[in-house]
Amino acid sequence: MALQNANPVIHERKATRRQRPSIGDESAAEEIDALEVFEHLRDIRDPEHPYSLEQLNVLAEEGIEVDDKQSYVRVTFTPTVQHCSMATLIGLCIRVKLMHSLPPRFKVDIRVAPGSHSTAAAVNKQLNDKERVVAAMENPYLAQTVRDCLAPPEEYE
Amino acid sequence: MAVAMEAIQELEGHTDRVWSVAWNPVASSSNRSVLASCGGDKTVRIWEGDCSDSSSSSSSSSWSCKAVIDSFKRTVRSCHWSPDGKLLATACFDGIGAVWEDVGGDYECVATLEGHENEMKSIAWSASGTLLATCGRDKSVWIWEMEAENDFQTVSVLNGHSQDVKTVLFHPTEDILVSSSYDNSIKVWAPDPNGDDWSCVQTLAEPNQGHSSTVWSVAFDADGKRMVSCSDDLLLVVWDTSTNPLESSWKHLCTLSGYHERTIYSVHWSRRSGLIASAAGDDAIRVFAEANDPSYTSRAVFSMVGKQQKAHSTDVNCVRWHPKDDDILASAGDDGLVKLWRILS
């Protein structure tokens, strides 16, 4: 199968900067923020390249909104090309990773960046239909593909 | 009028999200009830107990899991008892519908319905108990007829929806079928006047003041004169279904907006109290009552009379009123629990 994007631009994995909560402020230490969510997602491997979503600029910390008090996360990602048929698979990987990483109280919406995909509405609708997500993950081929994309970095580097 | 909801039981056993619950319409009475539940753990559980019993400790509770059907290969998405309460129909993501009979406490598969290409999402009995309808991701709706005892034949394969079909439901008194879909529409199907086949007689969608996103579920009132639908667009829509759909169109009566904050997965209309319950991805259950004039010709007005925030710790997928005791409501959640509620006026 021909690659969707044969020559993607590769970016560096940025160093993380975490401001430590001041000592004694326990509530701040427990709060989940955008950087923490980004840490869960940045190393997800792209389905067709041996690079991470961060390296391909598909996902950045700026694309993650977190409201810890409302238990709400919204992830906005940018497929490398407008017609990328991998967009739903990338979104599925993000959803599955967050299902495993975040406390169950969190509601998660996932979308492609406005204007970044030719069928954005259809992609977004599918990614946010939990019944379709469950059905996809019961498909052995899709489940294996997602597992491969979520494998720790050292397994593919 | 305002109602409060009191949690009276938490039925623990499922190890994954619970998608659906169904009360046995005949075996359930005020002092002994039978409830089926199904979900992502690929099982169906049959619960039995006394709804007047609100003892919370599991050791003294009259509620227990009487049977587990665990021969499914994939998620069991929905279950529905036949009108006589003798048979339980199940819809599984492996594409197969199944009919189960209680044989001395064990549930035996007495029929399978095979034909859908992939995930079956919903299964429903007709009022007479002679027809079953199924639907699924292959965009089709199938109608099956019981020709001899437990021998089901395909009556019709209905194509019309352009996407995944989420729910099928028969009218409570007539051989009329309703389906709701990921294509944002509700379709009404009826037998052809001069033939054995069925066809689509109406489509209720955005131009008819219908929904603008996935329609997850529908429910009729007791006599089928009205229907309510719920959607990912966060709306509940009440429809006038008092006319023959072959002759005149079913009309939008009112839209209930501004209540649920995330996808509304389930809605159910109490056949006895007339209350509507809805369940959503905002973890809440809401209860609505008709405000004043019950005449079907005048403008219907519904208002919210009760709300249970955090009914489950996660999404609520299904709500079903008890068939005989109108104070009792069952719910199913992503937290793996089935809960029973008492509605206090």
Side-chain angles (χ1 to χ4, degrees):
Chain A
M1 192 178 73
L3 291 176
Q4 293 284 316
N5 180 0
N7 296 300
V9 181
I10 312 304
H11 304 259
E12 278 187 27
R13 190 182 195 278
K14 294 191 189 88
T16 55
R17 31 158 198 87
R18 156 76 69 187
Q19 289 173 348
R20 290 281 151 209
S22 55
I23 293 162
D25 187 355
E26 286 186 8
S27 63
E30 288 167 9
E31 219 167 78
I32 290 173
D33 61 9
L35 179 59
E36 178 171 344
V37 173
F38 182 60
E39 291 287 349
H40 290 304
L41 301 177
R42 63 192 302 175
D43 293 322
I44 294 174
R45 181 180 176 274
D46 182 84
E48 62 173 23
H49 296 290
Y51 301 108
S52 71
L53 297 186
E54 181 186 21
Q55 287 171 312
L56 294 171
N57 236 14
V58 169
L59 192 66
E61 191 186 336
E62 294 70 39
I64 295 164
E65 298 157 69
V66 179
D67 184 337
D68 185 85
K69 285 193 179 61
Q70 301 290 324
S71 300
Y72 179 73
V73 171
R74 182 163 79 171
V75 177
T76 304
F77 68 99
T78 308
T80 53
V81 283
Q82 279 270 335
H83 53 272
C84 181
S85 65
M86 295 292 161
T88 45
L89 185 53
I90 293 169
L92 186 62
C93 292
I94 293 172
R95 182 164 289 286
V96 171
K97 187 70 182 11
L98 291 180
M99 275 188 319
H100 296 155
S101 309
L102 290 175
R105 68 184 164 93
F106 274 92
K107 304 294 180 185
V108 178
D109 286 333
I110 297 172
R111 60 171 193 169
V112 294
S116 71
H117 199 272
S118 51
T119 58
V123 171
N124 293 345
K125 188 172 187 178
Q126 200 170 337
L127 288 177
N128 293 296
D129 180 323
K130 69 176 183 184
E131 191 184 62
R132 303 274 291 237
V133 169
V134 168
M137 291 310 294
E138 286 186 8
N139 173 321
Y141 169 75
L142 274 173
Q144 185 57 49
T145 306
V146 169
R147 267 197 299 276
D148 292 345
C149 293
L150 297 185
E154 55 273 19
E155 290 184 21
Y156 64 84
E157 268 173 5
Chain B
M1 178 188 147
V3 300
M5 292 173 62
E6 176 196 13
I8 53 170
Q9 292 292 333
E10 282 191 3
L11 306 179
E12 287 180 48
H14 282 289
T15 56
D16 199 311
R17 74 159 49 88
V18 188
W19 275 114
S20 298
V21 284
W23 294 100
N24 185 310
V26 175
S28 295
S29 63
S30 52
N31 58 12
R32 177 182 168 274
S33 296
V34 174
L35 184 73
S37 61
C38 61
D41 64 0
K42 308 181 175 90
T43 70
V44 171
R45 286 174 180 265
I46 311 292
W47 311 87
E48 208 175 302
D50 180 352
C51 287
S52 64
D53 167 30
S54 57
S55 88
S56 52
S57 83
S58 55
S59 56
S60 62
S61 169
S62 66
W63 281 88
S64 62
C65 182
K66 290 290 180 188
V68 179
I69 309 173
D70 60 3
S71 49
F72 298 96
K73 292 190 189 78
R74 294 188 54 189
T75 283
V76 189
R77 179 63 182 86
S78 85
C79 55
H80 194 209
W81 293 97
S82 59
D84 65 6
K86 289 183 177 150
L87 300 171
L88 181 70
T90 54
C92 181
F93 274 4
D94 65 4
I96 300 173
V99 179
W100 306 84
E101 189 174 4
D102 180 358
V103 185
D106 280 331
Y107 281 76
E108 203 168 86
C109 182
V110 294
T112 55
L113 312 178
E114 299 187 43
H116 282 283
E117 287 170 26
N118 43 43
E119 291 88 356
M120 187 186 284
K121 303 261 170 105
S122 174
I123 189 163
W125 293 92
S126 65
S128 62
T130 57
L131 299 176
L132 271 172
T134 58
C135 66
R137 187 163 67 88
D138 63 8
K139 307 172 190 174
S140 67
V141 171
W142 292 50
I143 294 176
W144 315 75
E145 184 170 19
M146 199 195 290
E147 295 200 328
E149 192 183 331
N150 300 331
D151 176 21
F152 288 86
Q153 298 296 325
T154 309
V155 174
S156 194
V157 178
L158 303 169
N159 295 296
H161 282 294
S162 61
Q163 297 282 347
D164 193 7
V165 188
K166 298 294 197 189
T167 304
V168 280
L169 179 70
F170 278 98
H171 187 280
T173 58
E174 308 291 326
D175 275 348
I176 294 168
L177 180 73
V178 169
S179 59
S180 74
S181 167
Y182 188 87
D183 70 9
N184 309 351
S185 79
I186 298 166
K187 284 188 181 285
V188 184
W189 312 86
D192 298 333
N194 306 311
D196 295 331
D197 209 358
W198 287 55
S199 54
C200 178
V201 296
Q202 280 186 45
T203 300
L204 307 174
E206 221 173 351
N208 327 71
Q209 295 173 272
H211 294 286
S212 60
S213 190
T214 302
V215 189
W216 278 92
S217 188
V218 290
F220 282 102
D221 71 356
D223 49 12
K225 295 220 161 92
R226 288 174 296 176
M227 175 176 83
V228 59
S229 53
C230 66
S231 165
D232 179 55
D233 67 7
L234 313 184
L235 302 178
L236 293 158
V237 174
V238 182
W239 305 86
D240 178 349
T241 57
S242 60
T243 57
N244 180 342
L246 283 91
E247 290 163 5
S248 68
S249 57
W250 286 359
K251 295 248 172 9
H252 169 274
L253 272 180
C254 68
T255 297
L256 310 180
S257 66
Y259 296 104
H260 285 287
E261 288 149 28
R262 292 185 68 81
T263 307
I264 312 174
Y265 290 113
S266 178
V267 64
H268 199 226
W269 206 319
S270 169
R271 297 204 166 188
R272 298 172 59 86
S273 69
L275 294 175
I276 294 172
S278 59
D282 60 8
D283 310 344
I285 294 172
R286 285 171 171 80
V287 178
F288 300 86
E290 190 153 14
N292 42 23
D293 188 357
S295 156
Y296 302 128
T297 52
S298 68
R299 194 178 140 76
V301 180
F302 288 80
S303 60
M304 189 173 77
V305 294
K307 176 165 85 168
Q308 185 68 39
Q309 298 274 33
K310 286 282 161 200
H312 287 257
S313 62
T314 51
D315 294 8
V316 193
N317 297 318
C318 185
V319 273
R320 289 290 181 266
W321 294 101
H322 191 283
K324 308 242 174 71
D325 188 340
D326 50 13
D327 295 336
I328 302 294
L329 182 72
S331 65
D334 273 2
D335 55 7
L337 293 175
V338 173
K339 289 193 180 186
L340 304 183
W341 305 87
R342 182 174 295 285
I343 309 298
L344 309 161
S345 310

